């Protein structure tokens, strides 16, 4: 119908040049375009030799009666080019298409070669599967164009920031309002090649396209299936879920974040660092039940990165808790990096309700990275173009090791004492919401903790008049729940004993054990004595 007519190759123009190496020709309208036509033909010949003969892509089919594959120079579409599959090829057992390529006359000379190599890869793709979704077309061609123009990685790298700006969008998503997202997705192909075929990445990509072949209109297998098929054929059994979970970590370590342990040459991916959904300093912890913004919730086969910066000296542990919605599947990784330490990545074990927790010891590292990947439902298919986002929550806590207890000052007290100041001497105290001090006797109340440093805890105690006499055990709970207990840290004594002892000695003594505040106790016992005398006077006067 009308669409078929619209997609037909443009009419032949006034001038044409043909290749003597491959069945290629270039049409152009004006002699002023001859130099450009020559450049197009030269790169088209190179593209055929490299992409078809070396990498293993299929040669684009040529409709009977045409004899040559057609390139045209035209004006009006803007700098660049496009490939048009205009009719299915009935001569093969798979769903491939006849196509042609148009290069716009306004394309700058500096990028003509890259545009031609890119568009020729589209022609080779349509020779294998002209039903595959546009995303993989552009992922692949953007990666390949740099492999054809030897020594030049400009095109793929320059597009990566458009992809990395939206890690929460599906890998198979394509550009909204032509935002170049799917072109930047060449990073995913780069990762596949570097991870699974470091010596022949373009050949692996061609094998994936070969695995896409089908003879129906359902695009099955799609390119997710084909990736698994091609890797299995190479003796690398894996799943797209595992690949996406690994890629979600690797895509963080590019540009200025490159750690040299994920994608080769990733430091050259300028401005391609992914956008984290949140970044925190250690001072804001604990963070409980945090959730991404609605617009940042990950779609299937997409990810969120949450970054926690650590101070230069940090010896505490970090605990991460995760709770994912049950409308999808999740993969969660906790990564320690930076500080000139080796990057360490651990999977967070999740139960059947997608909940899990992990405890990290990041000593020496400068950052903790939480990578949350939505793996989609088991029946997720990129062809249906439904990409529902899913929600989750996470908590970040510091967890200090147990504190060391040395002494309590004063270390003696009496029943009925109210609002008396004490302090604990020790080390490793770390205050937070979990921090607590308590005694084994419920009649001893810690009414206030007035200060905490690494070496000292200041507190105020109140004792019931019914508290039992004797030695008491103290327990200090550090931030994160680690506890330390010590017996005989505080002794509750009978004030009668002290008063009798002091009266025999001729008054309060200020010498003795260094850990006992005798002066304070004497003042307190003086108060008890005055209270007792006041009671006696009241009784006498009443009589």
């Amino acid at each position: 119908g009308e669409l078929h007519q619209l997609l037909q190759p443009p009419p032949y123009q006034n001038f044409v040049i043909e290749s003597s190496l491959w069945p290629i020709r270039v049409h152009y309208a004006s002699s002023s375009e001859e130099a450009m036509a020559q450049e197009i033909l030269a790169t088209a010949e190179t593209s055929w030799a490299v992409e078809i003969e070396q990498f293993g892509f299929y040669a684009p089919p040529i409709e009977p009666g045409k004899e040559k594959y057609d390139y045209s120079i035209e004006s009006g579409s803007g700098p660049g080019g496009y490939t048009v599959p205009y009719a299915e090829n009935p001569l093969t057992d798979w769903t491939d298409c006849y196509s042609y390529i148009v290069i716009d006359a306004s394309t700058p000379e500096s990028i003509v070669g890259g545009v031609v190599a890119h568009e020729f890869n589209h022609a080779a793709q349509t020779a294998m599967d002209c039903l595959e979704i546009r995303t993989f077309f552009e992922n692949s061609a953007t990666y390949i164009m740099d492999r054809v123009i030897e020594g030049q990685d400009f095109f793929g790298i320059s597009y990566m920031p458009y992809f990395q700006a939206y890690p929460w969008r599906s890998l198979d998503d394509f550009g909204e309002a032509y935002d170049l997202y799917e072109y930047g997705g060449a990073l995913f192909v780069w990762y596949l090649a570097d991870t699974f075929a470091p010596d022949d990445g373009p050949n692996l990509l061609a094998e994936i396209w070969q695995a896409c072949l089908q003879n129906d209109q359902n695009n099955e297998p799609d390119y997710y299936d084909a990736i698994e098929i091609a890797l299995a054929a190479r003796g690398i059994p894996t799943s797209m879920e595992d690949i996406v979970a690994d890629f979600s970590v690797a895509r963080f370590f590019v540009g200025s974040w490159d750690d040299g342990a994920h994608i080769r040459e990733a430091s050259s991916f300028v401005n391609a660092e992914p956008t984290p959904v949140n970044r925190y300093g250690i001072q804001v912890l604990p963070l409980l039940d945090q959730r991404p913004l609605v617009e940042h919730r990950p779609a299937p086969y997409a990810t969120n990165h949450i970054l926690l910066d650590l101070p230069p000296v940090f010896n505490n542990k970090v605990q991460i808790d995760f709770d994912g919605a049950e409308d999808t599947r999740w993969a969660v990784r906790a990564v320690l990096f930076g500080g000139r330490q080796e990057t360490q990545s651990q999977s967070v074990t999740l139960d059947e309700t997608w909940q899990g927790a992990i405890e990290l010891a990041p000593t020496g590292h400068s950052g903790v990275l939480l990578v949350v990947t939505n793996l989609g439902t088991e029946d997720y298919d990129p062809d249906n173009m439904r990409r529902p986002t899913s929600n989750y929550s996470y908590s970040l806590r510091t967890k200090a090791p147990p504190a060391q207890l040395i002494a309590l000052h004063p270390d003696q007290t009496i029943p009925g004492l109210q609002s008396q100041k004490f302090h604990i001497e020790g080390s490793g105290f770390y205050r937070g919401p979990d921090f607590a001090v308590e005694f084994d006797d419920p009649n001893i109340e810690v009414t206030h903790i007035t200060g905490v440093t690494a070496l000292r805890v200041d507190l105020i105690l109140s004792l019931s008049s019914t508290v039992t006499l004797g030695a008491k055990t103290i327990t200090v709970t550090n931030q994160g729940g680690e506890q330390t207990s010590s017996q005989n840290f505080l002794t509750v004594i009978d004030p009668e004993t002290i008063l009798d002892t002091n009266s025999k000695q001729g008054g309060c003594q200020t010498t003795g054990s260094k850990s006992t505040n005798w002066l304070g106790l004497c003042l307190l016992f003086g108060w008890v004595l005055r209270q007792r005398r006041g009671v006696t006077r009241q009784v006498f006067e009443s009589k």
Side-chain angles (χ1 to χ4, degrees), residues 405-429:
L405 307 182
I406 297 176
L408 179 69
H409 303 282
D411 63 358
Q412 291 186 348
T413 187
I414 61 172
L417 178 72
Q418 297 294 306
S419 301
Q420 178 70 17
K421 293 181 179 179
F422 289 77
H423 74 268
I424 305 170
E425 178 187 354
S427 63
F429 300 116

Side-chain angles (χ1 to χ4, degrees), residues 3-245:
L3 180 59
H4 179 74
Q5 293 301 318
L6 180 65
L7 294 177
Q8 291 302 300
Y12 292 155
Q13 302 182 67
N14 297 333
F15 300 92
V16 61
I17 53 175
E18 297 184 351
S19 170
S20 60
L21 300 175
W22 311 107
I24 303 169
R25 59 190 170 199
V26 181
H27 301 268
Y28 56 103
S30 169
S31 59
S32 63
E33 297 170 341
E34 181 176 357
M36 185 179 191
Q38 293 287 354
E39 174 68 15
I40 291 172
L41 183 63
T43 308
E45 289 178 333
T46 300
S47 298
W48 192 296
V50 173
E51 297 185 36
I52 308 303
E53 301 300 316
Q54 293 183 26
F55 297 163
F57 284 90
Y58 286 11
I62 299 171
E63 188 175 6
K66 290 187 176 292
E67 299 178 351
K68 304 279 186 179
Y69 188 83
D70 290 319
Y71 285 77
S72 293
I73 300 175
E74 295 188 359
S75 299
S77 62
Y82 56 89
T83 303
V84 181
Y86 64 91
E88 186 175 345
N89 177 14
L91 304 179
T92 59
D93 293 331
W94 61 92
T95 309
D96 60 325
C97 291
Y98 302 124
S99 64
Y100 60 89
I101 294 173
V102 173
I103 307 297
D104 194 273
S106 64
T107 303
E109 181 180 356
S110 59
I111 66 169
V112 166
V115 171
V116 171
H118 181 107
E119 298 306 328
F120 184 79
N121 192 240
H122 285 329
Q125 294 160 1
T126 60
M128 303 162 113
D129 178 8
C130 59
L131 294 181
E132 196 52 67
I133 65 172
R134 189 178 92 193
T135 306
F136 197 51
F137 271 91
E138 301 301 353
N139 292 173
S140 301
T142 305
Y143 169 79
I144 285 294
M145 63 197 291
D146 286 330
R147 311 282 81 76
V148 173
I149 311 300
E150 190 172 349
Q152 181 173 323
D153 290 328
F154 166 77
F155 294 104
I157 292 173
S158 66
Y159 285 124
M160 288 179 186
Y162 300 103
F163 174 74
Q164 291 283 78
Y166 308 101
W168 45 86
R169 287 168 59 178
S170 298
L171 284 180
D172 51 83
D173 200 354
F174 41 79
E176 300 172 357
Y178 202 68
D179 65 3
L180 305 178
Y181 177 84
E182 66 269 31
Y183 295 83
L187 175 61
F188 177 58
V189 177
W190 195 309
Y191 165 80
L192 288 175
D194 188 66
T195 303
F196 300 108
D199 299 323
D200 63 340
N203 298 84
L204 172 62
L205 183 58
E207 291 163 16
I208 293 171
W209 274 96
Q210 291 170 17
C212 286
L213 268 63
Q214 78 274 312
N215 190 17
D216 56 41
Q217 298 299 314
N218 296 321
N219 193 36
E220 294 297 338
D222 57 50
Y223 81 97
Y224 283 179
D225 303 320
I227 289 171
E228 295 179 353
I229 294 169
L231 290 177
R234 283 185 170 230
I236 310 173
T238 187
S239 67
M240 271 300 295
E241 288 84 357
D242 287 341
I243 291 171
V244 172

